[in-house]
Structure formats: C-alpha cells, structure tokens
Amino acid sequence: MQIRNTSKGYGSVAIAFHWTMAVLMIGLFAVGKYMTGLDPTAPDTFAIYQWHKSFGFLVLGLAALRLVWRFANPSPALPKEMPAYQRTAAHLGHAGLYALLFALPISGWLMVSASPWGIPTVLFNVIPVPHLPVPEMLGTKAQAENLFKEVHELLGFALLALFVAHVAAALKHHFINRDAVFKRMISTAPARAETPRRS
Ligand code: HEM
Ligand code: HEM
C-alpha cells in the first residue's frame, strides 16, 4: 500500500482526503443552498442547519490535517509538456480550493457567532463549539451576522467557480491530453511507479 505521495503521484492518504472532502464540500454547498429556502419555523429546518454546521466543522478539522499531510509529503510534479500558464493556473486553483476549505467554515462560524439569536453549535449533538469573538467595529450583532452571511455566500460562489474549472481541467487532462493527472487522484499506481516494487 502506497501511503505517501511520490514525485509521480498521490498516496492513499492524499487520495482519501481529496475525495472525502470533495463529497463533503459538494454536499455542504447543495444543502446550504437548499436550507436557506426552507421555512425557518419548520421543525426540520433547525436540524438541517445543525447538520450543515457539524459537517462544516468536520471539513475545517480535516482541512488542517490535510494541510499538514501536504507539507509533509512531496507534491507530484505536473507533466513536463504543460505550458507555464497552465501550471500557474493549476497552482492558483489548488491554492484557492485549499483556502476555501478553511474560509468557508470559518465564515460560517463567524456568522453563527455574530448572530443575535445566539444559537449554540453542538457538533453531531455531542461536542459543543464556543462562539468566536466578533469585533465591535463591525456594528450591531445583526449587522455583523449579515456581513458574514454575505461573505459565506460569496465564498460559496467562488467555490462553485473554482470547482467547475477544476473538474473541467481534470477531464481535459484525462480525455484530451491523456496524461496521468486524473489517474493519480483515483489510484496510487502512478505514485508506485516511481519507487522500487515491494512484494
Ligand atoms: C465547510 C464548508 C461549507 C460550505 C461549502 C458551506 C456552504 C454554504 C452555502 C452554499 C450556503 C448558502 C448561502 C446562500 O445562498 O445564502 C450556506 C449557508 C449557511 N451556512 Fe454554510 N457552508 C459551509 C460551512 C458552514 C459552517 C461551518 C457553518 C457554521 C458553523 C455554516 C453555517 C451556515 C449558515 C447558518 C447558513 C445559512 C445562511 C442564511 O441563513 O442565509 N456553514 N453554506
Ligand atoms: C468531481 C470532482 C473533482 C474531480 C474530478 C477532481 C480532480 C482532481 C485531480 C485529478 C487532482 C490532481 C491534480 C494534480 O495531480 O495536480 C485534484 C487535486 C486537488 N483537488 Fe480536486 N477534484 C474534484 C473535486 C474537488 C473539490 C470539491 C475540491 C475542494 C473543494 C478539490 C480540491 C483539490 C485540491 C486542493 C487539489 C490539490 C491537491 C494537492 O496537490 O495537494 N477537488 N483534483
């Protein structure tokens, strides 16, 4: 089992992080959009918001672990024939996606911390999360809550835009360039190709 990345591909831990978090982010985006259209007084609405918050915090925890793992491992090199502008776009796109893995949950956390309703956050009905301090210069609690709500929504659009470009790039690598970029995010075979075979 190839646990660590090599210069040729991703190891199983990076692949597991990628797909677990991709599913969580797509799910959170969809649930976020869905739940804002619900009747706020309906009994299920409260529960759905709590699930959104719990899974959002799960993303924040995983993002921290993933970043540590990323810096403790080599980054697979991009194909040599890729033009410089595409390399820059790939690095900026990945940096942007990493940033959103932190910025989305933190903006959500700030939003619920600023809310005049003061609704507690209890992850998966088990772990209580304290509210963050919100600077007074942001105005009343309701004003600060609205500000972070806007920020959270805008970051959601940024996620959608980067996600579309990211998936389009992955498909282009696979079907047009026919290189290993997509394959190495679904299998550790490219990573293993670098190291001597172990039985
Ligand atoms: C980590 C990934 C997260 C993603 C991708 C995400 C995504 C979204 C999206 C797309 C919306 C709908 C925004 C709109 O159209 O107005 C939303 C709403 C919301 N999110 Fe998140 N969210 C995340 C994490 C969190 C966290 C950690 C919290 C709180 C601790 C949170 C709290 C909320 C709340 C309270 C709303 C409703 C805002 C309103 O009533 O307008 N989210 N989220
Ligand atoms: C179905 C959807 C997705 C596909 C097909 C996909 C595909 C890929 C592929 C092929 C790579 C490897 C690029 C390389 O080797 O240089 C990659 C990397 C990456 N993806 Fe995705 N991805 C998807 C969804 C997401 C989502 C939703 C996020 C985050 C919100 C995300 C974040 C990242 C990040 C941060 C990297 C860089 C990993 C690293 O080098 O540490 N991906 N993705």
Side-chain angles (χ1 to χ4, degrees), residues 16-35 51-64 66 93-108 124 151-164 166-167:
F17 269 129
H18 179 270
W19 292 111
T20 310
M21 296 182 79
V23 168
L24 286 171
M25 291 300 275
I26 296 166
L28 279 161
F29 180 88
V31 169
K33 287 285 170 200
Y34 169 73
M35 71 189 196
W51 283 111
H52 181 84
K53 295 197 284 179
S54 295
F55 281 102
F57 274 105
L58 180 61
V59 165
L60 185 58
L62 288 174
R66 181 173 179 184
H94 292 165
L97 287 167
Y98 267 114
L100 289 172
L101 295 176
F102 289 92
L104 265 158
I106 290 172
S107 61
F124 302 103
V151 171
H152 197 64
E153 189 179 357
L154 282 174
L155 292 172
F157 281 123
L159 173 67
L160 184 63
L162 278 182
F163 171 72
V164 169
H166 184 66
V167 174

Side-chain angles (χ1 to χ4, degrees), residues 19 78-79 81-82 86 165-187 190:
W19 292 111
L78 290 169
E81 55 281 7
M82 251 173 92
Q86 283 186 16
H166 184 66
V167 174
L171 294 177
K172 175 182 177 283
H173 277 285
H174 192 65
F175 291 108
I176 297 177
N177 303 349
R178 294 171 187 269
D179 57 27
V181 166
F182 181 69
K183 253 177 253 150
R184 69 192 189 179
M185 199 39 112
I186 49 175
S187 153

